[in-house]
């Protein structure tokens, strides 16, 4: 549960803000904002899986919740486009080839 862990502050951004931005991305004509939000949720999911798998290490890091909050802000903020950067630099070359099968034509 997020409220029982030290990373509770990382989940502080209001859900309505996320829903509003995702809703705007869905309704807009541009594909770029859709890609940013889909990429954010992929990065967020991978981050959460790693966080739970490494919980014993995470618990020993002081101020982990603040670092996580900063990381998530970096990922979703439109000026940094952090999720897209992380996906392009880390996930696409090292993770995606192992989990995405090529389409056979």
């Amino acid at each position: 549960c997020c409220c029982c862990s030290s990373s509770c502050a990382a989940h502080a951004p209001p859900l309505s803000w996320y829903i509003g931005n995702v809703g705007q991305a869905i309704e807009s004509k541009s594909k770029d904002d859709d890609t940013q939000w889909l990429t954010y949720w992929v990065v967020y999911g991978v981050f959460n899986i790693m966080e739970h798998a490494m919980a014993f290490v995470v618990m020993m890091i002081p101020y982990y919740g603040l670092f996580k909050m900063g990381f998530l802000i970096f990922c979703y903020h439109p000026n940094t486009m952090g999720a897209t950067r992380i996906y392009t630099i880390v996930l696409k070359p090292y993770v995606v080839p192992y989990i995405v099968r090529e389409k056979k034509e």
Side-chain angles (χ1 to χ4, degrees), residues 46-60:
V46 170
F47 180 79
N48 271 339
I49 290 168
M50 290 176 51
E51 178 183 34
H52 290 301
M54 308 267 306
F56 60 95
V57 175
V58 169
M59 289 174 23
M60 294 186 283

Side-chain angles (χ1 to χ4, degrees), residues 1-68:
C1 172
C2 110
C3 292
C4 299
S5 70
S6 63
S7 67
C8 189
H11 297 281
L15 184 59
S16 61
W17 189 87
Y18 282 120
I19 293 170
N21 281 318
V22 171
Q24 286 178 348
I26 291 169
E27 296 299 322
S28 73
K29 302 282 186 213
S30 173
K31 182 184 171 201
D32 294 337
D33 51 2
D34 297 352
T35 303
Q36 165 61 16
W37 279 106
L38 285 171
T39 306
Y40 169 78
W41 288 112
V42 168
V43 170
Y44 180 82
V46 170
F47 180 79
N48 271 339
I49 290 168
M50 290 176 51
E51 178 183 34
H52 290 301
M54 308 267 306
F56 60 95
V57 175
V58 169
M59 289 174 23
M60 294 186 283
I61 300 173
Y63 303 108
Y64 174 74
L66 293 175
F67 290 120
K68 180 178 177 180

